[in-house]
Amino acid sequence: LALFTVFFWVFYNQTEGSLLLYIDQYTNFSVGSLTIPATWTTTSFNSLICIILAPVMAAFWMKLSKKRKNGDLTMTQKIALGYILLGIGFLVMAIAEIVRGGRTTASLSMMWILMFTLFQSLGEICFSPLGNSVVSKNAPPKYLALLMGVWSLATFISQKAAGYVQGIMENLGTLQVFIAIPCILFVGAIILFACNKKITELTD
């Protein structure tokens, strides 16, 4: 599971690097006479969505747990759902790149970026809260500190690896990367769903 966190955060963190550069260069941020900073559509909007929707998602999980015999989704299924939502977000960016059509001007509508950020934030809400709780719940007491370190190490690796995506985008092309990332995420989600039963047995 720590390994899967690496891939999620590598792609998620592109909003602070290569994706932010792309958004800043090709998006029209003008609303009348006002020019909105690029980070408002990613970082600020992301924070706002998390604040608004986190209680909604919590209520949804609670309601689902009462309806299902085995409770709400397992942690593996929630991680897979986070993968899927983030992947959909990058598919939105792939469509936006097609719409841009190679134009070098800031012509993209902010709605594309806001839609991407919405799916990204939903994926984060599914994925992010699980980390420390997964380790603290399932780690043997004598290995708890060590495995907390492993989870943190996975986050460190993802932060380090995220910086290399910019070079990959320059070599492969923006559209190709926007298609490749969701493909990787969807395959990861399939693997997680396939392993769900075994991981659940190991952690129950």
Side-chain angles (χ1 to χ4, degrees), residues 101-115:
R103 292 189 295 273
T104 57
T105 57
S107 57
L108 278 180
S109 168
M110 278 191 297
M111 293 306 299
W112 292 108
I113 315 306
L114 295 177
M115 197 181 308

Side-chain angles (χ1 to χ4, degrees), residues 176-191:
Q176 288 81 354
V177 172
F178 284 162
I179 293 174
I181 288 176
C183 288
I184 294 170
L185 289 168
F186 293 153
V187 169
I190 292 171
I191 294 172

Side-chain angles (χ1 to χ4, degrees), residues 21 57 63 67 73 78 92 102 139 156 162:
L21 294 174
M57 290 294 288
K63 185 174 182 180
K67 286 187 175 182
L73 301 183
K78 287 179 181 178
V92 169
F156 164 78

Side-chain angles (χ1 to χ4, degrees), residues 18-30:
S18 57
L19 188 57
L20 183 59
L21 294 174
Y22 173 88
I23 290 170
D24 187 52
Q25 183 174 356
Y26 297 121
T27 307
N28 181 7
F29 292 104
S30 298

Side-chain angles (χ1 to χ4, degrees), residues 77-96:
Q77 291 171 328
K78 287 179 181 178
I79 293 173
L81 182 58
Y83 263 54
I84 292 171
L85 290 168
L86 184 59
I88 293 173
F90 275 100
L91 283 181
V92 169
M93 291 307 301
I95 297 171

